[in-house]
Amino acid sequence: MSVFGDVAAAGRRLSSRAAGAIRSLAAAIDLADTARPLRNAQTRSQWLTVGQEVTTAMLEGADVEDALGLIAQRLQVVAEADAACLVLPGVGDDWVIEFAEGENTDDLVGITMPVGGRARRVIESRAGLVVSSFERSSTLRVPEFGRYGPALYAPLVAGARSTGVIILMRARGADEFSYDELQIAEAFARQAALALELAEARDAQDRAALLDERARIARDLHDLAIQHLFATGLSIARARDDLPPEAAQRLGEALGGLDEAVAQIREIVHALQRDAVPSLPMERIERELSLARSGLGFAPELELYPSAIDIETWTESADTDLVDDVVAIIREGLSNAARHAHAQQVTVALRVSDALTVTVSDDGVGIPPDRTRSSGLANLSRRAERWGGTFTAAPGESDGTILTWTVPLP
């Protein structure tokens, strides 16, 4: 009986230990089930805070580029990602990484998303996805992504329009992105896309208001100023006939000055009216210079080499995509000068020979040595490489910055 008693006692001890283990496991599961919603709630709260910050910045009139940079910067932190990228529309049908935040991400800016790749699929389907690890991925169309592990793609969708993709990447061996994180990222992306659309609509409205104001000024100059000067000239001409020769000569000189003033005003009226409907390449370029006046506080200068006629001849037969790039180069250069240079003079120069060279120079403070984000300049470099050309950003001879964009011509 003692043997059977020992066996029974051992069984009871084993059962007691098993029950204890089961209770411990159940407690751990219960704790995990309790902690998971808490972590998700904290994560959602952090993303919501970032979303409110970005939306507020854009609706309060922040520059769209600065707002996009803020999105990438905040996402990299809140998602605990090693790299946060924004893919936005490029030239033609291209989708390009325009912003990248994180350590050693400069080489990501300007990369065009390949057709058939994950980013393109997310744009087309308007649904996000999670990659367990690029390291183990059987298909990797962007080699630069190979140094990362887990990734998350969230589409920027506003209404029925896809405006871009958010890509978050973590280091190899890091925790994978969860389905909850994907849902949160998609909700954030929808909010950010809507705010961007509103900001772009505000910019378009501001530009439309500017063009309307220029049209009004043109009408006033034509209907009031020119007519008044013309009437004044007639009165002076009649009075001149009754004056001595010397006085008549002086009035004749004054009339010549009035004629020159009328001619100059007519040119201004023509330029203001032309800005309202830009179509030809030179009109688009001149419009960019005109629009930059409000940001710079003065009108930038335009220099054409060898002559305006040669430039006009080239633009009439120029590749449309190349003209788009030239306009983008000028816009980015003027935008940089307005935001960072604190310049008193900005000059845009176009030179056509065996190559097309666009330079944007200013007399400002130059590129700050501590500037870490250069997405715009990197994009200009990519645009030059697309045509087999080069791009440089260098200090001026005495001060300021010179941006030089050169591509060969066929």
Side-chain angles (χ1 to χ4, degrees):
M1 294 294 294
S2 61
V3 173
F4 290 109
D6 292 341
V7 170
R12 286 193 297 273
R13 289 194 298 271
L14 183 60
S15 298
S16 177
R17 291 173 182 170
I22 292 172
R23 285 194 296 273
S24 298
L25 178 60
I29 293 174
D30 183 63
L31 180 62
D33 289 340
T34 303
R36 188 177 298 111
L38 179 61
R39 286 196 302 271
N40 289 343
Q42 291 173 338
T43 300
R44 286 181 183 275
S45 177
Q46 292 170 345
W47 280 76
L48 180 61
T49 300
V50 172
Q52 290 174 339
E53 180 184 2
V54 170
T55 301
T56 300
M58 283 189 284
L59 296 183
E60 287 182 348
D63 182 83
V64 173
E65 182 178 344
D66 292 339
L68 290 168
L70 178 65
I71 290 175
Q73 182 182 9
R74 294 292 188 266
L75 284 182
Q76 193 245 331
V77 175
V78 74
E80 298 180 351
D82 292 276
C85 303
L86 291 183
V87 176
L88 301 172
V91 176
D93 296 329
D94 289 346
W95 292 87
V96 182
I97 296 179
E98 297 282 7
F99 295 85
E101 283 290 336
E103 188 175 355
N104 299 323
T105 57
D106 289 346
D107 62 329
L108 300 179
V109 176
I111 295 178
T112 299
M113 297 295 96
V115 176
R118 295 181 179 87
R120 292 284 194 126
R121 294 204 306 270
V122 168
I123 291 169
E124 293 167 1
S125 67
R126 302 170 64 202
L129 61 83
V130 169
V131 180
S132 59
S133 177
F134 280 128
E135 184 181 9
R136 300 190 299 271
S137 177
S138 58
T139 57
L140 189 62
R141 299 173 188 266
V142 182
E144 289 84 352
F145 287 179
R147 62 177 182 260
Y148 296 100
L152 181 152
Y153 291 70
L156 290 164
V157 177
R161 187 166 65 101
S162 294
T163 58
V165 180
I166 293 171
I167 303 178
L168 304 174
M169 297 179 285
R170 290 173 177 163
R172 292 183 176 186
D175 293 338
E176 296 181 10
F177 288 98
S178 66
Y179 177 72
D180 289 328
E181 287 177 308
L182 175 60
Q183 285 187 311
I184 296 171
E186 287 179 322
F188 171 88
R190 287 192 295 271
Q191 179 184 358
L194 178 59
L196 282 171
E197 190 174 60
L198 292 174
E200 290 173 354
R202 185 197 64 238
D203 287 347
Q205 186 178 19
D206 291 344
R207 290 196 177 199
L210 176 62
L211 294 177
D212 288 342
E213 178 66 10
R214 288 177 178 168
R216 184 192 64 79
I217 294 172
R219 289 194 303 271
D220 289 348
L221 286 173
H222 181 270
D223 297 341
L224 301 177
I226 291 180
Q227 298 302 324
H228 181 71
L229 288 174
F230 183 73
T232 302
L234 289 177
S235 299
I236 293 175
R238 285 195 297 268
R240 180 184 56 181
D241 296 337
D242 299 329
L243 293 176
E246 184 178 352
Q249 181 181 358
R250 291 182 181 178
L251 281 181
E253 294 173 355
L255 282 173
L258 279 178
D259 290 339
E260 290 180 5
V262 169
Q264 291 173 355
I265 293 175
R266 289 189 188 278
E267 290 182 3
I268 294 172
V269 169
H270 176 68
L272 289 170
Q273 292 173 337
R274 184 180 58 190
D275 282 342
V277 189
S279 56
L280 297 176
M282 280 308 302
E283 292 179 356
R284 295 178 59 192
I285 292 170
E286 290 171 357
R287 182 171 185 267
E288 290 300 326
L289 270 68
S290 181
L291 291 174
R293 180 195 293 265
S294 58
L296 291 169
F298 56 87
E301 298 180 6
L302 176 63
E303 298 178 353
L304 305 175
Y305 302 97
S307 69
I309 296 176
D310 295 315
I311 298 293
E312 288 281 6
T313 301
W314 169 76
T315 56
E316 288 175 1
S317 59
D319 185 289
T320 303
D321 287 343
L322 179 56
V323 173
D324 288 341
D325 278 351
V326 169
V327 173
I329 302 312
I330 294 173
R331 180 185 303 134
E332 179 66 28
L334 293 173
S335 177
N336 276 332
R339 290 197 309 273
H340 307 298
H342 307 292
Q344 301 300 315
Q345 182 178 1
V346 178
T347 302
V348 175
L350 275 71
R351 184 183 299 273
V352 174
S353 56
D354 294 336
L356 169 66
T357 300
V358 180
T359 62
V360 181
S361 56
D362 63 69
D363 62 352
V365 298
I367 299 176
D370 57 346
R371 185 180 179 187
T372 57
R373 184 171 65 81
S374 58
S375 58
L377 299 183
N379 186 32
L380 301 190
S381 181
R382 293 282 183 176
R383 289 179 185 271
E385 292 172 2
R386 178 179 180 227
W387 299 99
T390 59
F391 169 75
T392 60
E397 294 183 2
S398 56
D399 49 22
T401 304
I402 300 177
L403 306 182
T404 305
W405 193 86
T406 303
V407 296
L409 293 176

